[in-house]
Amino acid sequence: MKLLIIGGTSFVGRAIVGDALGRGHEVTTFNRGLTGKDVDGVEALRGDRSTDEGIRPLAGRGFDAVIDPGGLIPAHVLRTARATAGSAPFYAFVSTTAVYRTWDTASTDESAATWPGAADQDGDPADLENLRVHKRGCELAVEQTYGLGACLVARAGSIVGPYDNLGQLPWWLTRIAEGGRVIAPGAPARGLQLIDVRDLSAFVLDQVEAQAGGIHNVVPDGPNTTMGRLVDDCVRATVSEATPVWMDEGFLLSQGVQPWAELPLWIPDVPDAAGFWAVSGASARAAGLRTRPFGESVRDTWEWLRSGGAVRTAPGVPPLGLAGEKEHRVLAAWDSRPAGEG
């Protein structure tokens, strides 16, 4: 197939490009040339879909499908979809399960209520506060231009794997590799639901090759690891002598430790988040999603980091992780708490 991949130089886009080339497809990437180096073997087009002029390099080009793995602004995605609607019969967009309005119940499926969005909404890609609304608007831009029968909306969950540009699993690996006492949040048995970028890529390309439209939560169908196993897998992969110190979530919050931002992948186990790590993946599984053991994702991400890989977050995105000074302070407070507390 002749595929047009928007971006294609980092994480999800890079994985899809590499997978597509490995399957023998002819790949053209379209990007500004600012984020990273194009993968060898692609035809690289330079442009900027934030303006009508910037999208002109796509004029007169024909493709079997468009894959859009990183669109953040609805107006940009709408401009792309309109520019390719007459020259590519299928459009695949990688979205996020963050488009759902509530997380208080398990097994949220594709019929659940989403945040409102507008297909023509403009904005700032660095505005993560409105990510969920913008992503829903991007979905609508594709759906309204192509129709659901000719487009795929792949709502990914939390993504891990080599070339990570988010930094969640890499932070845990790097911190645990340093050794010593490591703060571990909540109960070790707390389930997590994480998708390897290569499994996401394979699913998207399978649907593109079949020209199979629809909306799918691209997640394992239920938690596929736990916080405890994540920490253990990181210790094993890094051959570290780190010692996890499991702390009560209430204590961590009382010390001002921020979930997700300072301890990546930690979402407190509260009623409002009861379904956060239990989204239904039944639709994607029925459509052919295959997921690898989570320990393999941990091992391969560590090998990438060891070989010189580095997390390159988008401009304006603050780094993840607990600062060393704060970590020491919280550990000291934990050690000095009254007997029987926490």
Side-chain angles (χ1 to χ4, degrees):
M1 298 178 74
K2 293 181 65 176
L3 301 178
L4 172 65
I5 300 179
I6 310 300
T9 63
S10 64
F11 204 23
V12 177
R14 183 186 180 92
I16 293 174
V17 167
D19 194 352
L21 291 171
R23 297 181 184 211
H25 297 308
E26 182 181 334
V27 176
T28 298
T29 57
F30 179 76
N31 57 57
R32 297 173 298 168
L34 300 177
T35 303
K37 182 179 179 295
D38 282 286
V39 176
D40 291 341
V42 306
E43 176 195 17
L45 296 179
R46 296 287 180 252
D48 184 346
R49 58 179 173 167
S50 66
T51 68
D52 292 339
E53 181 64 31
I55 208 81
R56 290 191 189 282
L58 297 180
R61 307 293 296 259
F63 303 95
D64 296 310
V66 180
I67 302 177
D68 190 342
L72 293 172
I73 301 302
H76 299 180
V77 174
L78 181 63
R79 184 176 287 111
T80 310
R82 286 175 172 173
T84 58
S87 58
F90 193 85
Y91 200 111
F93 179 72
V94 178
S95 188
T96 170
T97 54
V99 299
Y100 295 118
R101 290 188 69 103
T102 60
W103 298 100
D104 55 357
T105 58
S107 299
T108 295
D109 66 17
E110 293 78 3
S111 68
T114 60
W115 290 95
D120 59 353
Q121 184 177 6
D122 212 336
D124 181 356
D127 178 13
L128 298 184
E129 291 294 321
N130 287 306
L131 173 68
R132 54 198 179 187
V133 174
H134 286 167
K135 276 290 195 177
R136 179 55 183 150
C138 292
E139 293 181 357
L140 292 171
V142 176
E143 294 172 21
Q144 292 172 10
T145 304
Y146 271 80
L148 271 178
C151 74
L152 168 72
V153 173
R155 291 175 177 162
S158 293
I159 309 169
V160 297
Y163 296 94
D164 191 327
N165 65 353
L166 304 173
Q168 297 163 320
L169 179 56
W171 183 85
W172 281 105
L173 281 162
T174 302
R175 173 61 193 90
I176 286 173
E178 293 172 357
R181 300 172 76 211
V182 179
I183 295 174
R190 170 76 155 142
L192 304 178
Q193 189 179 35
L194 304 166
I195 183 76
D196 190 288
V197 68
R198 296 163 294 184
D199 298 334
L200 170 61
S201 167
F203 178 81
V204 169
L205 283 171
D206 287 347
Q207 305 313 301
V208 168
E209 290 171 350
Q211 303 278 281
I215 301 174
H216 301 283
N217 295 331
V218 188
V219 296
D221 194 17
N224 61 328
T225 189
T226 64
M227 200 71 213
R229 290 207 300 272
L230 181 148
V231 170
D232 290 344
D233 283 339
C234 288
V235 170
R236 189 176 301 111
T238 60
V239 197
S240 170
E241 295 183 359
T243 301
V245 180
W246 292 95
M247 295 186 182
D248 176 76
E249 292 185 327
F251 173 82
L252 288 171
L253 293 171
S254 75
Q255 295 296 310
V257 179
Q258 298 177 37
W260 200 268
E262 290 188 311
L263 288 179
L265 301 175
W266 170 39
I267 295 294
D269 192 3
V270 295
D272 284 351
F276 188 91
W277 293 121
V279 176
S280 173
S283 174
R285 183 180 62 179
L289 175 65
R290 302 172 298 280
T291 57
R292 69 196 66 210
F294 180 70
E296 184 178 325
S297 302
V298 175
R299 181 199 67 201
D300 292 350
T301 302
W302 178 240
E303 289 301 317
W304 167 67
L305 289 169
R306 287 185 63 197
S307 67
V311 177
R312 295 182 174 86
T313 55
V317 177
L320 292 171
L322 192 61
E325 182 179 344
K326 186 170 183 178
E327 180 184 38
H328 294 151
R329 177 176 62 76
V330 174
L331 283 166
W334 178 257
D335 292 338
S336 63
R337 73 196 188 285
E341 185 177 304

